[in-house]
Amino acid sequence: MSPLPEPAHVIADDTEALKVAAALAEEFRTGAAERDARRRLPRAELDRLSASGLLGITVPAGHGGADVAAVTLAEVFRLLAAADASLAQIPQSHFVYINVLRRQGTRAQREFFFGEVLAGKRFGNAQSEAGTRHVQDIRTRLDPGAAGSYTLTGVKHYSTGALFADWIPVLARGENDDLQVAYVPRDAPGLTVVDDWDGMGQRTTASGTVRLTAVPVPADRVVPHHLTFRGPQLHGAVAQLLHAAIDAGIASGALAEAVTFVRTKSRPWFESGVDTAAEDPLLIQRFGELALQVRGAEALLAAAARAVDAARARLDDETAAEASIAVAAAKVAAADAAVETGSSLFEVSGTRSALDTLGLHRHWRDARTHTLHDPARWKIQHIGRYVLSGTKPPRHGLL
């Protein structure tokens, strides 16, 4: 387990969570371009995040946490992503696997792991696999071992957060091929985290490989994830909401950098007849268009978060479906805004903005990489079916 440099604070409520997130975002913005350029992994920054208490804000109140609203959680991620999209991506799975415990963990499991989270411990993830038929073709095995325990065997890829984690939740197939989540210590025998991520974007997420060779797992560290998808649930909606928040943050961060660059460094085009680039009527028009797209994405994000909160208060088939569709809409809009704004940053800023040393291209690279997580085209299909025929979206965890 990785030691924390200072005790973790316990955040009291939504207001404090937003205040802490805004302050940390300002702190993390400094050095974000340098971390990306050098691929300097943000260990110190993650320790600051742990110590701040932000990683515990969804722990239920009955276990000592703030249990913040989805509206607050989404805004926390948007703020962090606007400053450093790689850093914001790292704890996404942390909150997803807190939710798994909330829904399917035993009381003893919740008491233990929520205590770990409030102490500042981090969850990583080991869920995706490469070379299989599709993303849900999970082949890692959780097999019975001695004295009621289990062993894990498999190889995971895109394991964001695993390198920095105290606990690594592993998605595996158990008896009857049912999906299980095994919560495994980072230093467990037989578990190896390989820092081999070389994506063009999100460079410092360390989303590499996890190898599992007969890793021992006590029975009380296993949660029946297949039960999550029986009946109405918000597992996928919350997970996708955080992805949408990251994309919306990338878009707003890119727009803010473009504004600063044009105000302070860009030259006006000679035909414009104005003294500064910020007075160019064609640039003003383009900034207005980009601002509309970013504002639209942020508005849909907030609406989706409110739908998740409404469904949490009264969960049934109807409210769960409405939340999933609202999140899908927000994710499509935020993804479009992130890619478009990250690219248009150069269009509005001019030739100098393309200098590698400035690192402005990280916004587009982060957007283009992160938005590949799952295809927006399928979200649009589900939205269309829901609008036209009332067909509820599937319960597979990606909506």
Side-chain angles (χ1 to χ4, degrees):
M1 301 288 180
S2 58
L4 293 175
E6 55 184 295
H9 174 65
V10 177
I11 288 175
D13 53 29
D14 295 65
T15 300
E16 185 183 6
L18 292 171
K19 181 179 179 180
V20 170
L24 280 181
E26 285 304 308
E27 180 181 324
F28 294 157
R29 183 172 286 107
T30 302
E34 183 268 341
R35 287 191 296 273
D36 173 83
R38 297 179 180 273
R39 198 180 174 273
R40 181 176 68 76
L41 300 181
R43 296 181 186 277
E45 289 78 11
L46 283 170
D47 284 342
R48 287 280 296 120
L49 188 64
S50 291
S52 76
L54 277 181
L55 296 183
I57 58 176
T58 61
V59 170
H63 291 272
D67 200 9
V68 302
V71 169
T72 299
L73 184 62
E75 180 63 7
V76 165
F77 269 78
R78 192 195 68 81
L79 288 168
L80 293 175
D84 185 337
S86 286
L87 191 52
Q89 177 61 34
I90 291 170
Q92 190 267 347
S93 289
H94 171 89
F95 287 96
V96 168
Y97 285 104
I98 289 175
N99 273 350
V100 171
L101 287 164
R102 286 184 65 143
R103 186 170 174 90
Q104 300 301 339
T106 65
R107 179 171 181 80
Q109 287 172 329
R110 292 196 300 269
E111 286 180 352
F112 174 76
F113 281 114
F114 291 160
E116 290 282 276
V117 169
L118 290 177
K121 298 297 179 66
R122 298 189 286 263
F123 292 159
N125 97 82
Q127 56 185 24
S128 294
E129 299 178 12
T132 56
R133 291 183 301 118
H134 50 69
V135 70
Q136 291 202 324
D137 181 16
I138 302 297
R139 301 184 184 181
T140 296
R141 299 299 309 180
L142 182 71
D143 295 317
S149 64
Y150 297 90
T151 59
L152 271 173
T153 301
V155 180
K156 299 290 188 176
H157 298 270
Y158 312 117
S159 301
T160 303
L163 190 68
F164 314 108
D166 298 284
W167 293 90
I168 301 178
V170 180
L171 195 61
R173 298 282 181 188
E175 187 178 5
N176 300 321
D177 281 345
D178 286 337
L179 275 178
Q180 309 284 342
V181 176
Y183 289 74
V184 183
R186 167 68 176 80
D187 57 0
L191 187 154
T192 305
V193 180
V194 184
D195 181 19
D196 56 359
W197 170 243
D198 65 349
M200 69 172 181
Q202 295 203 294
R203 288 177 171 175
T204 60
T205 59
S207 300
T209 302
V210 171
R211 300 185 184 280
L212 305 145
T213 305
V215 177
V217 183
D220 62 357
R221 296 293 181 260
V222 176
V223 176
H225 193 35
H226 62 285
L227 298 180
T228 300
F229 307 103
R230 296 180 183 174
Q233 48 81 33
L234 295 172
H235 176 82
V238 172
Q240 289 291 305
L241 181 71
L242 301 186
H243 284 305
I246 291 168
D247 288 340
I250 294 172
S252 63
L255 182 60
E257 289 235 44
V259 167
T260 299
F261 197 94
V262 169
R263 283 176 177 172
T264 61
K265 296 182 175 65
S266 296
R267 296 182 297 178
W269 185 243
F270 71 94
E271 293 179 281
S272 67
V274 297
D275 294 329
T276 68
E279 298 172 285
D280 183 334
L282 299 182
L283 281 183
I284 291 171
Q285 176 73 19
R286 188 67 181 119
F287 270 98
E289 293 167 349
L290 293 173
L292 282 173
Q293 192 169 13
V294 173
R295 282 173 174 253
E298 291 173 347
L300 283 171
L301 176 69
R306 290 194 297 271
V308 170
D309 282 328
R312 181 185 293 172
R314 186 177 63 83
L315 185 61
D316 57 31
D317 286 336
E318 298 298 329
T319 60
E322 182 57 37
S324 288
I325 292 299
V327 171
K331 181 65 170 66
V332 172
D336 286 346
V339 173
E340 177 69 15
T341 309
S343 175
S344 296
L345 184 159
F346 304 100
E347 170 196 337
V348 297
S349 299
T351 306
R352 186 180 175 189
S353 64
L355 293 177
D356 189 59
T357 52
L358 296 176
L360 295 177
H361 45 62
R362 77 183 186 279
H363 299 291
W364 181 85
R365 288 186 290 99
D366 284 342
R368 187 63 283 174
T369 302
H370 182 255
T371 54
L372 298 175
H373 183 273
D374 51 277
R377 59 188 178 273
W378 276 98
K379 293 183 179 353
I380 296 171
Q381 283 282 311
H382 293 305
I383 293 169
R385 292 190 184 104
Y386 185 74
V387 170
L388 277 175
S389 61
T391 302
K392 294 180 177 61
R395 296 170 177 165
H396 55 42
L398 290 171
L399 276 171

